[in-house]
Amino acid sequence: EAQVTQNPRYLITVTGKKLTVTCSQNMNHEYMSWYRQDPGLGLRQIYYSMNVEVTDKGDVPEGYKVSRKEKRNFPLILESPSPNQTSLYFCASSSSTGTGYEQYFGPGTRLTVT
Amino acid sequence: RKEVEQDPGPFNVPEGATVAFNCTYSNSASQSFFWYRQDCRKEPKLLMSVYSSGNEDGRFTAQLNRASQYISLLIRDSKLSDSATYLCVVTPSGAGSYQLTFGKGTKLSVIP
């Protein structure tokens, strides 16, 4: 089954404790991306990757890091989480179609930083 | 001006009703357009792409008006299962066409 998986699905942590949210896709997609979704603000892009070893900042990259060492994986790293990073996080992947890039989303990771 | 704007709703409609959502975008160079559906606390899922000539998928019809920079989604014969938030999505042209810009969504509740 074609899918994007994220782990963990739920995480409660404390300020300053480094964490990693994993993302993996089995569709051989070149493009992967991370978003956060907050009430009233919609989906905002954190980082994206066009292919292995190619990453770039999205709209809200502060406080996050990513890496793309393999095509299928795109982990999101919070080196020193803060309460304002409490959010719902989605990973997505896509390949181009005739009319653009249709993205497939993972199930989401709900992060709470206390 | 926000890049992609949608009426947040909620739209509360009875079963069987026809409902239409509009979305405006500010970047005239936008190239690709989509409607995504998001159920409560779930991931967004592609509902349909929006083509320049307009397109239909069952009870759903999407249209694009480039001159006025808006896209629309029409849902006919609404079902209870259509209750969700509908996200308007646009992408720029050229090398940045992978960069999706999401509207904040329009919430639809279909009532028995």
Side-chain angles (χ1 to χ4, degrees), chain A residues 7-26:
Chain A
N7 282 291
R9 295 289 313 280
Y10 302 91
L11 178 61
I12 301 174
T13 190
V14 296
T15 299
K17 186 177 182 180
K18 181 179 178 180
L19 67 91
T20 299
V21 184
T22 64
C23 173
S24 182
Q25 51 95 3
N26 62 1

Side-chain angles (χ1 to χ4, degrees), chain B:
Chain B
R1 180 179 175 184
K2 296 177 184 174
E3 291 192 57
V4 178
E5 290 196 65
Q6 296 181 248
D7 183 339
F11 283 56
N12 299 316
V13 303
E15 273 187 289
T18 295
V19 61
F21 308 136
N22 285 332
C23 164
T24 59
Y25 59 94
S26 60
N27 184 354
S28 60
S30 295
Q31 182 71 23
S32 300
F33 308 88
F34 306 93
W35 283 102
Y36 277 71
R37 170 194 168 125
Q38 185 174 24
D39 293 301
C40 186
R41 298 176 180 271
K42 297 288 186 67
E43 71 273 24
K45 292 184 179 179
L46 179 67
L47 178 65
M48 58 196 303
S49 302
V50 186
Y51 303 128
S52 295
S53 56
N55 49 299
E56 187 174 304
D57 183 2
R59 297 181 293 110
F60 299 84
T61 301
Q63 293 194 314
L64 167 64
N65 185 320
R66 286 190 183 272
S68 300
Q69 295 181 210
Y70 79 82
I71 66 174
S72 64
L73 176 68
L74 181 77
I75 305 175
R76 291 181 299 277
D77 188 24
S78 299
K79 311 291 185 189
L80 294 176
S81 58
D82 293 334
S83 296
T85 296
Y86 291 83
L87 306 172
C88 170
V89 182
V90 305
T91 71
S93 60
S97 58
Y98 45 80
Q99 290 286 79
L100 302 189
T101 300
F102 287 82
K104 294 180 181 179
T106 298
K107 185 174 182 179
L108 171 66
S109 294
V110 181
I111 304 164

Side-chain angles (χ1 to χ4, degrees), chain A residues 4-62:
Chain A
V4 179
T5 57
Q6 294 179 228
N7 282 291
R9 295 289 313 280
Y10 302 91
L11 178 61
I12 301 174
T13 190
V14 296
T15 299
K17 186 177 182 180
K18 181 179 178 180
L19 67 91
T20 299
V21 184
T22 64
C23 173
S24 182
Q25 51 95 3
N26 62 1
M27 294 169 280
N28 201 37
H29 285 166
E30 297 84 15
Y31 179 75
M32 297 185 75
S33 180
W34 276 102
Y35 297 88
R36 60 178 289 174
Q37 187 173 36
D38 303 288
L41 297 178
L43 277 158
R44 295 180 292 167
Q45 190 178 54
I46 303 170
Y47 269 94
Y48 64 91
S49 170
M50 289 293 289
N51 215 322
V52 175
E53 302 292 0
V54 181
T55 64
D56 209 343
K57 296 177 181 179
D59 298 319
V60 289
E62 294 78 20

